[in-house]
Amino acid sequence: TKYVFDNGLEFSLIRRDTKTVVVVPTQSGCKMGCTFCFLTARKNQEVRNLSGREIWEGIAQVLDDAPLMGYKDLLISFMSSGEPLNNVDGVRETIIATLVLKALDSRQMRPVKNMRFGVASIIPTVKQGMEFVRTIGELQDQERLGAISVKLHYSMHATTDETRKKLIPRATSISSGLSILDIYRKLGQPTEIHYTPIAGVNDTDEDLARLARLANDGGFHVKFLSLKAGANEALQPSNRIPELLSVIS
């Protein structure tokens, strides 16, 4: 279910079994310029960082419309519009507000037994990546917040810097991103690599071999995503996903 509020912000609600996922934005748009993202087509958009209060108010409105009764697992996913590492303060404030309300046994949070967060990022720069690592590390040290789980989903989408720059022009190098991911998982936090296979772009035999090394030798979990229709007509989804899955299993 998609929610579009009067201020233009979009939130989504996904439910299956006992799990509720609320997908939230961190910015009012995005200027990262990823060639396979529908947000890139929105020219001349004004992009600003959202405050933690704005993000949480959106979450609250979603949960007011769809109460958590009967759903014990809640995931707040920072994967809607915006690059989360461009707004680490907003992410941090939202996490704190959610955990504090859970600790206070608020009406909206009362049914929740398991609370998790997810952040999807291209990791624009090493500096921003390390700032995120420090921020989550500091949150882990705050006893009043209790246990905290924030999975970092690295939007990699290519196995060479040359291809990645064409797909994601404002991202740091793959090796730098993987280094950040490795540092982050040493905090005890979960990590994952996101990869959208695109026909003739990032699904070659060489790509398969490099992904196999990442998954099998590097110990990174790789999740394949489907290319969304309409984002870029010049790009087509790969039909090699079964092969990709086989090399990382």
Side-chain angles (χ1 to χ4, degrees):
T1 305
K2 180 178 286 188
Y3 295 80
V4 182
F5 299 119
D6 292 341
N7 56 10
L9 299 180
E10 296 184 6
F11 290 69
S12 297
L13 177 75
I14 303 168
R15 279 187 162 157
R16 49 181 174 268
D17 299 325
T18 63
K19 181 179 179 180
T20 293
V21 182
V22 183
V23 184
V24 309
T26 53
Q27 296 179 292
S28 59
C30 191
K31 289 192 174 182
M32 292 294 97
C34 301
T35 58
F36 53 91
C37 178
F38 70 94
L39 288 173
T40 301
R42 297 182 181 178
K43 305 297 184 183
N44 302 317
Q45 59 180 323
E46 181 183 347
V47 177
R48 64 177 181 83
N49 286 347
L50 305 179
S51 68
R53 180 171 182 174
E54 284 180 288
I55 299 171
W56 170 249
E57 285 178 349
I59 296 171
Q61 289 185 64
V62 171
L63 296 182
D64 277 343
D65 182 68
L68 288 168
M69 194 61 63
Y71 294 90
K72 64 179 183 179
D73 303 308
L74 176 62
L75 170 62
I76 304 298
S77 177
F78 297 91
M79 298 187 192
S80 188
S81 67
E83 164 52 57
L85 267 59
N86 283 343
N87 186 16
V88 172
D89 286 345
V91 172
R92 176 178 56 80
E93 291 165 5
T94 304
I95 291 174
I96 291 173
T98 308
L99 291 173
V100 167
L101 287 170
K102 177 67 180 74
L104 293 174
D105 198 29
S106 70
R107 173 182 57 83
Q108 289 169 316
M109 295 289 106
R110 192 165 296 142
V112 177
K113 302 300 181 185
N114 303 306
M115 173 87 71
R116 297 182 294 116
F117 302 88
V119 174
S121 174
I122 66 171
I123 307 185
T125 67
V126 171
K127 181 179 179 181
Q128 287 172 293
M130 289 306 300
E131 180 188 4
F132 177 77
V133 172
R134 284 193 297 271
T135 297
I136 301 305
E138 289 169 359
L139 290 180
Q140 286 185 160
D141 292 338
Q142 295 188 36
E143 292 184 6
R144 69 188 178 101
L145 298 178
I148 177 173
S149 175
V150 185
K151 179 182 281 190
L152 177 56
H153 304 261
Y154 177 37
S155 299
M156 193 174 80
H157 304 300
T159 63
T160 68
D161 287 331
E162 181 182 5
T163 300
R164 192 164 191 253
K165 275 296 181 182
K166 293 176 181 177
L167 294 174
I168 312 172
R170 291 180 174 84
T172 189
S173 69
I174 292 173
S175 61
S176 295
L178 292 174
S179 293
I180 297 295
L181 214 61
D182 192 46
I183 294 169
Y184 186 69
R185 63 183 178 179
K186 288 176 181 176
L187 292 178
Q189 292 292 344
T191 62
E192 185 172 78
I193 290 173
H194 279 184
Y195 200 93
T196 301
I198 302 171
V201 177
N202 61 359
D203 66 343
T204 66
D205 290 343
E206 292 78 11
D207 290 315
L208 267 66
R210 285 187 283 264
L211 282 172
R213 286 196 293 272
L214 276 177
N216 302 327
D217 299 338
F220 291 104
H221 179 260
V222 181
K223 181 178 182 179
F224 295 108
L225 307 180
S226 299
L227 181 67
K228 292 184 178 179
N232 186 331
E233 293 181 359
L235 302 176
Q236 298 298 320
S238 172
N239 61 4
R240 302 191 70 182
I241 291 182
E243 293 176 76
L244 291 164
L245 288 170
S246 69
V247 300
I248 65 169
S249 60

